[in-house]
Amino acid sequence: MLPEEKIYNYLNKCCVPQHPDFILVLGSSDLRVPKFAAEYFLENPVSYIVVSGGLGKVTNEIWTETEAQKFSKVMIDLGVPSEKIYLEEKASNTGENILFSKKIIEQYDLPHREGLLIAKPYMTRRAYNTAAQQWPEVKWSTSAEPLTYHEYLELVDNQETFIHLIVGDLQRIKVYGELGFQIPEQVPTDVWEAYKELVDRGYNRYVMA
């Protein structure tokens, strides 16, 4: 197995939801995410959707609309009622996705016993770890489009950038857990060895110093 595939598989953490009150969709440049979220919403009894995302390190170079605006348009076009969607348009990282969405949910006094996080496949573990730390009162689950590493790789615009991104995301699982931004998690030895191998090969664009 390629080291980058090993990292992708580890980062892809999907937990079957029980009875979520709401969906929290994490913004990104991947417009398959809102499509998957819309399909889930239309097939399952969920009260509402919060779409969170301003402009991040990738989208601020390619879009003028916020991630939340882009995502909501996709979902509305697929049949999600606009009144069921709440937009959070300021977040620029995962922690802000959770905290800023929490403010909106509490502002409108929306039910939030259980929440389903929907994101890119390789963002699901970090999303879960962040939400579990930043808003532990909610019972969290995660879901994403079911794509293998090789399937996802074929869909990305720039495969080199994609590998840089997952290397940086894995480092954040470890570092942010140690800093208290996420729940702490012991990264398996073989996965961390894959990380070090890729960093040694120059995949360090999004690695924190």
Side-chain angles (χ1 to χ4, degrees), residues 4-23:
E4 50 267 43
E5 182 178 2
K6 187 171 290 188
I7 290 173
Y8 175 89
N9 291 345
Y10 173 72
L11 292 175
N12 189 351
K13 173 180 181 171
C14 289
C15 323
V16 178
Q18 303 272 323
H19 305 288
D21 301 299
F22 69 99
I23 297 171

Side-chain angles (χ1 to χ4, degrees), residues 9-192:
N9 291 345
Y10 173 72
L11 292 175
N12 189 351
K13 173 180 181 171
C14 289
C15 323
V16 178
Q18 303 272 323
H19 305 288
D21 301 299
F22 69 99
I23 297 171
L24 174 50
V25 185
L26 277 68
S28 66
S29 62
D30 188 345
L31 292 176
R32 289 179 300 275
V33 174
K35 179 177 181 293
F36 179 81
E39 291 169 351
Y40 183 93
F41 179 88
L42 294 170
E43 295 173 3
N44 296 275
V46 180
S47 297
Y48 62 95
I49 301 174
V50 177
V51 189
S52 175
L55 288 170
K57 59 179 176 283
V58 175
T59 52
N60 66 2
E61 298 179 358
I62 59 174
W63 293 344
T64 54
E65 289 183 298
T66 64
E67 296 164 1
Q69 289 173 333
K70 282 275 193 181
F71 276 28
S72 67
K73 288 179 179 179
V74 171
M75 291 188 287
I76 291 168
D77 286 345
L78 291 170
V80 178
S82 58
E83 65 269 18
K84 296 290 187 178
I85 301 174
Y86 295 81
L87 301 187
E88 185 292 299
E89 299 185 77
K90 296 181 180 179
S92 60
N93 58 56
T94 310
E96 291 179 350
N97 288 139
I98 306 303
L99 293 175
F100 294 172
S101 297
K102 178 183 179 182
K103 290 181 181 179
I104 289 174
I105 290 169
E106 291 178 339
Q107 175 187 343
Y108 288 98
D109 195 25
L110 299 169
H112 55 270
R113 181 186 57 84
E114 180 177 348
L116 173 62
L117 298 156
I118 292 182
K120 295 178 291 187
Y122 68 87
M123 275 298 299
T124 48
R125 182 177 293 273
R126 189 147 73 89
Y128 177 87
N129 288 6
T130 304
Q133 178 73 10
Q134 300 293 338
W135 199 2
E137 295 81 9
V138 175
K139 179 181 180 183
W140 293 104
S141 53
T142 58
S143 193
E145 189 177 5
L147 296 170
T148 67
Y149 168 76
H150 293 287
E151 289 170 338
Y152 197 88
L153 192 64
E154 289 300 313
L155 297 171
V156 301
D157 294 328
N158 187 311
Q159 296 185 354
E160 288 287 310
T161 297
F162 168 61
I163 298 173
H164 280 283
L165 283 167
I166 63 174
V167 168
D169 277 0
L170 178 63
Q171 185 201 32
R172 283 161 177 77
I173 291 283
K174 185 174 186 293
V175 173
Y176 286 175
E178 292 170 350
L179 292 173
F181 301 148
Q182 301 176 10
I183 57 172
E185 180 164 332
Q186 183 64 46
V187 177
T189 301
D190 61 327
V191 177
W192 195 248

